[in-house]
Amino acid sequence: MIAHNKHFIDGAWRPALDTTHTVVHDSATEELIATVSHGTASEIDAAVKAARAAFPSWSATSVVQRAVFIQAIADGLEARVESMVTGIAAEVGMPLKLTRRIQVEAPISAWRATAAIAADALADTPLRHSVITKEAVGVVGAITPWNYPLHQITGKLAAALAAGCCVVLKPSELAPTAAQALGEAIAEAGLPNGVVNIVLGDKNAGEALVRHPGVDLVSFTGSTAVGKHIASIAGQALKRVSLELGGKSAGIALADADQAAVVKNAIASCFLNSGQTCSAITRLLVPQEQYDDYRAQLQTAVEALQVGDPRDGKTRIGPLVSAEHKQRVQSFIAEAVNQGYDVIKAHADTALPNRGFYVAPIVFGRVPLEARLAQEEVFGPVLTVQTYADEDEAIAIANGTAYGLAGAVWSGSPEHGERIARRMRAGQVDVNGAPFNAVAPFGGFGASGFGREGGTFGIEEFIELRAIQLPVRTATK
Ligand code: NAD
């Protein structure tokens, strides 16, 4: 059992003032694996003050030098890959092999990619008789969730540091391993004191950070409900805010799509990390005349999914993060079963391990657009299938929720797929299973939030633009 009872403030690990904490369980065994102290308003205050004190010098440090520090942080994270893989897999429930690649190695590469593009992203831009300069916003309050803990921290911190901002991070209380490793890597990298501060804690620490007058920008990833609340607090103080929130993303299988590829991609996307992925394709839209074909193929595919311990090499789907979250997902499923939707395939609950926060993957067919299951984020292994009569209806269904985070299209013609992708109101749309691009902008339309992370676009979230008008030379006689 690890007691995470120190906050990283002004370059040092300080014992937590408060003894209250959140208890973290191994999602597969339900064993107690960690406690996470609840940071107090006074610890948030100390962290913000340290960040403010560090800001003038850090923002004046050359971008080349800042990039060297970012690379050094990546080195420190790389030295901790093994402990992060085992820790994050136990916390979140993602199978070890996927945890290594997606939860740990990919974010470390993103730290390095951010360092590599920083100088170009922050270069001055000439514009007629002006020069546009890019200035760091100031002190950033970063608040992150538990589902991809290192990835979400990276999207904010690497970009903010590249831009010249100082940061106070309040990571998720349910997945402390990534933030702990990051604090250690930062200390080793010799980052000047106060440039990054980490205050552990629950929503009270998060809210104290959002409300602190010394914070210039709040960068939040989490649920839409909390995002709205944070935006309203930040709005009162005219703080900048960027929000990466939930989703109910649709994938449109066009009539000429390769059905086997659609089923493979849709299952992989929806059930990745047990459905605990904000950009998961959770609604599959198929032509109504092909419903029975898809039904049969989905049944076979779901049946083949190996649900089990994340540490077992054969496992594709592990447990959910916590008992509380499992209960929430189960209540969604029970309600959908009661509604009488077509249950395409459910693993029998009796086939699941008898300990751990497991939920059997399930697919519901012919779910109407206005149904709760088609409108609200479940964040568990639940796929919804909807049918459409023509492409206009498919677009209307895809765009028919409050969200707009991600989307997918499958077509026999990639050009046709791209035309449909351009009509989808979502921040990222993949055509024919195209892979994730770490330097493309990631973020949402509508209730999925505003602001973008990733690559140059992610760095731009943390800058203010300054236009300097230079005297215009008049022609000499
Ligand atoms: P959550 O909103 O409950 O918590 C997220 C973070 O906010 C945590 O650190 C939590 O302690 C903190 N928090 C909670 N209440 C707060 C308050 N009042 N003030 C300040 N901070 C507060 O979300 P979660 O359960 O940790 O994560 C799951 C949600 O995150 C899902 O809705 C998912 O879609 C979303 N998510 C979005 C993205 C994206 O990039 N769009 C990525 C991952 C997760």
Side-chain angles (χ1 to χ4, degrees):
M1 213 276 297
I2 305 170
H4 295 276
N5 55 9
K6 292 192 175 81
H7 308 294
F8 186 69
I9 299 173
D10 205 12
W13 292 99
R14 298 195 193 173
L17 297 175
D18 198 333
T19 54
T20 62
H21 56 255
T22 294
V23 170
V24 181
H25 295 98
D26 183 306
S27 53
T29 64
E30 303 186 25
E31 271 167 66
L32 173 68
I33 51 172
T35 56
V36 180
S37 289
H38 290 174
T40 60
S42 78
E43 286 157 321
I44 289 286
D45 183 52
V48 174
K49 283 184 174 143
R52 283 239 76 89
F55 178 65
S57 153
W58 179 249
S59 56
T61 303
S62 76
V63 61
V64 172
Q65 187 55 42
R66 294 200 298 258
V68 169
F69 279 115
I70 291 171
Q71 291 283 11
I73 294 170
D75 293 342
L77 291 171
E78 212 142 87
R80 292 169 174 78
V81 165
E82 297 310 321
S83 58
M84 282 196 283
V85 170
T86 49
I88 294 172
E91 289 161 0
V92 178
M94 190 186 234
L96 279 181
K97 210 165 111 187
L98 293 169
T99 301
R100 176 179 298 277
R101 185 160 54 81
I102 300 173
Q103 297 266 17
V104 179
E105 291 175 352
I108 295 173
S109 304
W111 278 89
R112 297 203 187 284
T114 306
I117 61 171
D120 282 347
L122 296 161
D124 291 352
T125 314
L127 185 68
R128 294 191 178 166
H129 64 289
S130 303
V131 57
I132 313 301
T133 71
K134 294 160 187 167
E135 307 303 321
V137 168
V139 171
V140 171
I143 301 175
T144 52
W146 47 264
N147 56 329
Y148 291 86
L150 185 61
H151 167 82
Q152 284 136 358
I153 291 171
T154 301
K156 302 183 186 316
L157 265 65
L161 295 180
C165 293
C166 294
V167 183
V168 177
L169 168 68
K170 204 302 281 174
S172 168
E173 61 275 38
L174 294 178
T177 296
Q180 177 70 34
L182 178 75
E184 290 168 10
I186 283 169
E188 259 172 40
L191 207 66
N193 293 350
V195 172
V196 175
N197 307 272
I198 304 172
V199 179
L200 306 175
D202 63 358
K203 65 178 185 179
N204 295 322
E207 191 147 337
L209 181 57
V210 175
R211 290 188 185 280
H212 199 292
V215 170
D216 300 294
L217 182 152
V218 177
S219 177
F220 171 78
T221 299
S223 59
T224 294
V226 175
K228 282 182 185 169
H229 178 64
I230 284 177
S232 68
I233 300 171
Q236 284 303 313
L238 285 182
K239 279 178 197 172
R240 275 178 56 180
V241 60
S242 61
L243 302 170
E244 299 283 345
L245 308 176
K248 191 76 202 180
S249 301
I252 303 177
L254 295 175
D256 62 352
D258 171 347
Q259 292 187 1
V262 170
V263 169
K264 189 167 172 254
N265 290 167
I267 294 278
S269 169
C270 184
F271 296 135
L272 178 69
N273 201 17
S274 307
Q276 305 173 123
T277 303
C278 53
S279 55
I281 299 300
T282 52
R283 294 185 295 139
L284 176 61
L285 279 46
V286 304
Q288 59 191 19
E289 65 281 6
Q290 296 180 9
Y291 180 75
D292 291 340
D293 300 339
Y294 275 108
R295 188 183 197 287
Q297 294 195 46
L298 284 163
Q299 192 151 348
T300 311
V302 178
E303 207 165 42
L305 288 172
Q306 292 276 345
V307 183
D309 193 304
R311 284 155 285 233
D312 179 338
K314 291 195 290 296
T315 296
R316 276 284 303 281
I317 300 188
L320 301 184
V321 69
S322 65
E324 196 188 3
H325 190 51
K326 171 179 170 175
Q327 209 169 34
R328 183 179 171 274
V329 171
Q330 279 178 330
S331 77
F332 256 105
I333 293 174
E335 187 187 309
V337 169
N338 278 339
Q339 293 292 324
Y341 306 135
D342 181 14
V343 177
I344 295 182
K345 186 70 204 180
H347 271 261
D349 279 339
T350 47
L352 299 177
N354 52 16
R355 285 184 75 79
F357 310 126
Y358 292 94
V359 171
I362 186 165
V363 181
F364 288 98
R366 296 199 191 281
V367 179
L369 179 58
E370 62 284 2
R372 186 164 169 246
L373 191 64
Q375 291 291 328
E376 292 183 25
E377 183 179 55
V378 180
F379 228 52
V382 182
L383 176 65
T384 293
V385 183
Q386 297 170 290
T387 57
Y388 65 85
D390 57 30
E391 285 177 7
D392 285 345
E393 192 188 14
I395 298 286
I397 296 172
N399 293 341
T401 76
Y403 294 109
L405 190 56
V409 192
W410 297 273
S411 169
S413 146
E415 296 73 29
H416 186 188
E418 187 185 332
R419 283 199 299 279
I420 298 293
R422 286 174 186 272
R423 297 175 65 192
M424 293 177 76
R425 306 274 305 161
Q428 281 215 341
V429 186
D430 304 335
V431 177
N432 286 355
F436 184 70
N437 177 353
V439 291
F442 182 87
F445 287 33
S448 293
F450 39 79
R452 293 292 181 270
E453 291 185 347
T456 303
F457 308 91
I459 295 175
E460 286 172 356
E461 285 296 317
F462 297 102
I463 60 172
E464 293 284 9
L465 296 175
R466 178 199 290 128
I468 301 174
Q469 279 61 248
L470 300 170
V472 182
R473 255 190 249 129
T474 46
T476 45
K477 287 187 187 158

